[in-house]
Amino acid sequence: MVSKSRESIIGQPASELFLKRDRIYAEKHMHAERDTVYPAQLPRADGSLVMVEISGRRVEIDGANAFVAVVRDTTQIVKMNEALLRSQARYRSLVDNSDQCAFFTQDRKVIYANPAAVKLFGQDSNDMMGVE
């Protein structure tokens, strides 16, 4: 994931795996008294960044305090969410700018009405919300 050799990681302070700007944030989570889950960006050996989610917990190993972490690459999830948001924005723009009446219902109640629907029904869009 971060393209570093095992030998170059073992023995290093865990905070060294993080970008300088994120080290204090990471240290805070590593010393938390409760289980923790947080997003982060880790630098790869080539300088590029990888988006991750870190789940961690403090444990005791042979009488010493330790922090166990599972790091999950979330790059694809983040990219899919960004694409979904762009798609939703394009769809909303298409519906909002259509001269055709469009409204959406959920549980048989209007939850959205485009400007053409407002014009057709002669009501404010807020007045249409919740109408069965």
Side-chain angles (χ1 to χ4, degrees):
M1 185 180 325
V2 290
S3 304
K4 295 180 181 179
S5 70
R6 183 173 187 252
E7 292 77 23
S8 71
I9 294 173
I10 293 177
Q12 295 295 317
S15 61
E16 293 293 316
L17 295 172
F18 293 84
L19 297 169
K20 285 182 181 179
R21 68 171 192 236
D22 295 336
R23 287 182 183 159
I24 292 172
Y25 180 73
E27 286 283 346
K28 179 183 108 181
H29 284 281
M30 285 187 259
H31 295 291
E33 292 298 322
R34 58 182 171 72
D35 293 356
T36 181
V37 177
Y38 59 99
Q41 287 184 316
L42 299 179
R44 290 187 167 122
D46 66 4
S48 65
L49 299 176
V50 61
M51 294 174 270
V52 299
E53 177 184 81
I54 301 172
S55 302
R57 123 179 313 181
R58 291 179 58 101
V59 296
E60 188 176 300
I61 300 174
D62 296 330
N65 286 329
F67 183 78
V68 176
V70 174
V71 180
R72 182 171 66 115
D73 184 341
T74 59
T75 304
Q76 290 303 318
I77 294 168
V78 169
K79 286 181 180 179
M80 287 186 328
N81 284 337
E82 289 170 352
L84 177 60
L85 290 173
R86 285 191 304 274
S87 176
Q88 287 172 334
R90 282 192 306 268
Y91 182 75
R92 179 169 290 271
S93 177
L94 176 69
V95 172
D96 282 347
N97 294 306
S98 174
D99 61 354
Q100 300 296 310
C101 171
F103 58 92
F104 302 113
T105 63
Q106 184 175 24
D107 298 326
R108 298 178 47 199
K109 295 187 178 182
V110 176
I111 59 169
Y112 171 81
N114 74 347
V118 169
K119 183 178 177 182
L120 177 70
F121 291 106
Q123 293 182 336
D124 183 85
S125 62
N126 291 330
D127 293 337
M128 294 180 70
M129 299 305 137
V131 173
E132 284 193 45

